[in-house]
Amino acid sequence: MKLGLLLLALIFSPSLQAALHEENVDYQAGDTTLKGYLVWDDAKGDKQPGVLVVHEWWGLNDYARQRARMLAELGYTALAVDMYGDGKSSEHASDAAGFMNSVVEHAGLATQRFLAAKTLLEQQPGVDAGKIAAIGYCFGGATVLNMARMGVDLAAVASFHGNLVTKTPAEPGKVKAQILVLNGADDGFVTAESITNFEREMTLAGAKYRFVNYPGAVHGFTNPDADRLGKANHLPIAYNAEADKQSWAAMLALFDGVFKQ
């Protein structure tokens, strides 16, 4: 495990003794084979809520898997989703941009792949199919927000440093999920205008949402590898331990609320 991911596990893990069951899973969306990562705690006897974890634009990498493991340690069944197909990932921005554009430039493709993952998670014997949430980082954050906008049946979505701009704003009464947006106040990729427009959109749609800005945090603030990746790719991204800790706690508070209703 990379040093940054090990640090993440040590900071956030409530127990290093959890009986985690980890499984690489293949599933289909159209003609594309997707390769996800499913993890849960074998020691939990009852059906558990399920959480979909949607990766950054880098693809389904160790960081997304580690977040899934962290959720499993807390009693959730987590599926780290493959949005690109064949488990593709890269640490090069040019590759990541190509992977991302291959999805977002094709209408309906992101939805098809997200729903395929959601169906897979709901079908797991240890999952309560009526209690499904989704979280996402960067590209994944924008993805889960768009799923909420479309009215996908989710209890909650949490977007970490995700893009807020959309060509298909939520319609009044359509949003089912409670929405949590966790944003770096100094994120150069998220403009003040996009925040204003997002909040107006959510209000007009009648959505239950919360928007949180973390002072001093920039894009990628939850990922311990952001500094290294930013330097290698000349990108203004960086890790912020305090914002990471606070945003994770905010997500857990949201889950406690929606899943215990």
Side-chain angles (χ1 to χ4, degrees):
M1 183 184 291
K2 294 178 181 177
L3 180 60
L5 297 180
L6 178 59
L7 176 64
L8 196 68
L10 291 174
I11 291 173
F12 289 98
S13 177
S15 170
L16 297 179
Q17 304 302 318
L20 295 189
H21 180 96
E22 305 171 68
E23 183 177 341
N24 294 315
V25 290
D26 290 1
Y27 57 106
Q28 293 291 129
D31 295 330
T32 301
T33 298
L34 304 167
K35 296 181 178 294
Y37 169 77
L38 185 69
V39 57
W40 68 94
D41 186 348
D42 275 334
K44 305 292 184 182
D46 298 331
K47 283 184 176 290
Q48 306 167 6
V51 182
L52 298 157
V53 180
V54 188
H55 53 73
E56 298 173 285
W57 77 334
W58 308 112
L60 179 47
N61 55 17
D62 287 342
Y63 176 65
R65 294 185 183 92
Q66 176 60 25
R67 288 296 182 179
R69 284 191 289 270
M70 290 166 65
L71 286 163
E73 289 173 349
L74 294 167
Y76 302 102
T77 296
L79 174 62
V81 176
D82 174 15
M83 293 295 291
Y84 294 157
D86 202 32
K88 290 193 291 287
S89 68
S90 176
E91 292 194 347
H92 300 287
S94 57
D95 292 339
F99 294 158
M100 182 181 71
N101 290 334
S102 71
V103 175
V104 301
E105 292 178 355
H106 293 81
L109 192 57
T111 304
Q112 181 189 52
R113 293 180 179 180
F114 181 88
L115 292 179
K118 180 173 180 283
T119 297
L120 175 66
L121 183 59
E122 290 170 336
Q123 291 174 343
Q124 300 308 305
V127 171
D128 183 341
K131 294 182 177 181
I132 304 294
I135 69 172
Y137 297 85
C138 182
F139 159 76
T143 298
V144 300
L145 281 180
N146 285 332
M147 296 304 107
R149 286 175 167 118
M150 294 175 56
V152 173
D153 191 11
L154 295 162
V157 301
S159 169
F160 296 82
H161 42 86
N163 193 343
L164 304 177
V165 177
T166 181
K167 296 179 180 178
T168 55
E171 299 174 3
K174 193 168 185 178
V175 178
K176 299 176 183 177
Q178 291 192 34
I179 294 174
L180 176 62
V181 174
L182 305 155
N183 185 67
D186 295 336
D187 189 335
F189 296 107
V190 179
T191 66
E193 181 183 13
S194 71
I195 294 172
T196 298
N197 290 341
F198 172 77
E199 292 186 320
R200 182 185 301 116
E201 174 198 357
M202 292 294 108
T203 299
L204 291 174
K208 187 171 183 179
Y209 80 99
R210 180 186 177 206
F211 181 91
V212 184
N213 249 344
Y214 294 102
V218 299
H219 196 71
F221 65 83
T222 65
N223 190 338
D225 284 332
D227 298 79
R228 178 180 62 81
L229 291 168
K231 183 177 181 180
N233 290 280
H234 307 290
L235 293 173
I237 62 177
Y239 181 60
N240 185 305
E242 186 60 28
D244 182 16
K245 182 178 179 179
Q246 291 183 20
S247 61
W248 186 255
M251 178 207 71
L252 293 180
L254 172 66
F255 288 174
D256 283 345
V258 298
F259 289 138
K260 292 181 179 179
Q261 291 178 351

